[in-house]
Amino acid sequence: MVNYRTKIKKINMSEISIAIHGGAGTLVKGTMTSEKELAYKSALKLALDAGYSILEKGASSIQAVEAAVKVLEDSHLFNAGKGSVFTAEGTHEMDASIMDGDTLNAGAVSLVSGIKNPISLAKDVMEKSEHVFLAGEGALIFAKENGYEQTPPNYFFDEFRHQQWLEIKDTDSFQLDHATKKDSKFGTVGAVACDKNGNVAAATSTGGMTNKKWGRVGDSPMIGAGNYANNETCAISCTGSGEFFIRGVVAYDVSCLMEHKNYALEKAEDEVINKGILKIKGDGGLMAVDAKGIISMPFNTEGMYRACKSSKGREEVLIYK
Ligand code: ASP
């Protein structure tokens, strides 16, 4: 059988493309104003352009996804970095992961506090340690040894997020971005890209869920669940109900369908997002790009903050279906 990657490399070596998301937990349609919509779309566009310009200069997909995710982490609009939700203790615990589809190298961090850009820390775990996944205190020691400063808690304070937490603070409930009741802003962030050499990469970063406790970790930092990249198939960044995405091994499942069943990207994604994950009642979506630069952005929720751009001329910044 012809290997998927060999097939696509022969067709095109130079298509560049990037797709980013700001989470599948969008504001419900009725509560979206034109000002808010503009703010979200401008933030997405900024991140998209940051990543795309790196690809245009001929740099790697890993550099592009890191740059795009950093812009999203620096915005208070999304649930990652600066805009991270509050834990049950009133703190912020962030998770992030990154993967290089060329080498299958990966790096991830979870339960980190005071780190402005967790995605860069995940990249440093990949590049500067012998490990893949560092968590909590240990990850912070690694960060310190690699020159990261502790950013004070007020940097991560957002009044809206705070109110969101106060509403459920003394209860046992937690607020997942994808709960149907939501009328608030939400959104794990992520990016996938294909560079001019046909190398793909994926990056995902999140604050998790409001009022989370016991060191809860979702799918976002878990390689194979919320994030995965393999040049033989595609790069994927997920957003959704983390517990279900972990059980569905969503990102790797898409890749597996392509690798072992020879599915095209869109067919594999449809199978996972609109069939597989729904069977266990998981909601959310994903961003994916294959080594031909083909982008797909499926979701089974009302909307997903998303944007994409390719050298073939595709450019979109969207929120709802
Ligand atoms: N998947 C994330 C988590 O469970 C949440 C999200 O995508 O909004 O932590």
Side-chain angles (χ1 to χ4, degrees), residues 88-231:
E89 287 76 39
T91 58
H92 304 279
E93 287 177 348
M94 298 167 284
D95 307 326
S97 63
I98 194 162
M99 186 160 185
D100 180 347
D102 184 27
T103 57
L104 300 189
N105 284 339
V109 291
S110 76
L111 304 171
V112 294
S113 297
I115 299 292
K116 198 167 171 269
N117 293 114
I119 199 63
S120 298
L121 187 58
K123 184 162 170 275
D124 278 340
V125 170
M126 173 172 85
E127 290 170 353
K128 298 178 182 165
S129 84
E130 295 299 309
H131 309 296
V132 169
F133 201 157
L134 302 181
E137 273 308 302
L140 292 180
I141 294 170
F142 172 82
K144 197 169 174 202
E145 287 175 8
N146 282 279
Y148 286 78
E149 282 175 8
Q150 264 292 309
T151 305
N154 62 355
Y155 170 80
F156 301 93
F157 184 90
D158 178 76
E159 188 48 41
F160 193 95
R161 291 284 186 214
H162 194 230
Q163 286 305 324
Q164 197 181 12
W165 172 57
L166 290 180
E167 274 174 31
I168 53 171
K169 173 176 170 299
D170 296 319
T171 70
D172 275 340
S173 43
F174 47 81
Q175 174 76 54
L176 188 61
D177 288 7
H178 310 272
T180 38
K181 155 193 176 292
K182 67 187 176 296
D183 55 0
S184 323
K185 55 176 181 173
F186 300 110
T188 286
V189 307
V192 292
C194 175
D195 63 30
K196 73 173 175 44
N197 296 316
N199 291 323
V200 298
T204 306
S205 180
T206 190
M209 53 167 68
T210 298
N211 215 32
K212 64 182 181 180
K213 55 184 179 182
W214 304 317
R216 181 267 180 188
V217 178
D219 60 314
S220 309
M222 294 186 192
I223 301 302
N227 202 64
Y228 189 72
N230 185 341
N231 277 4

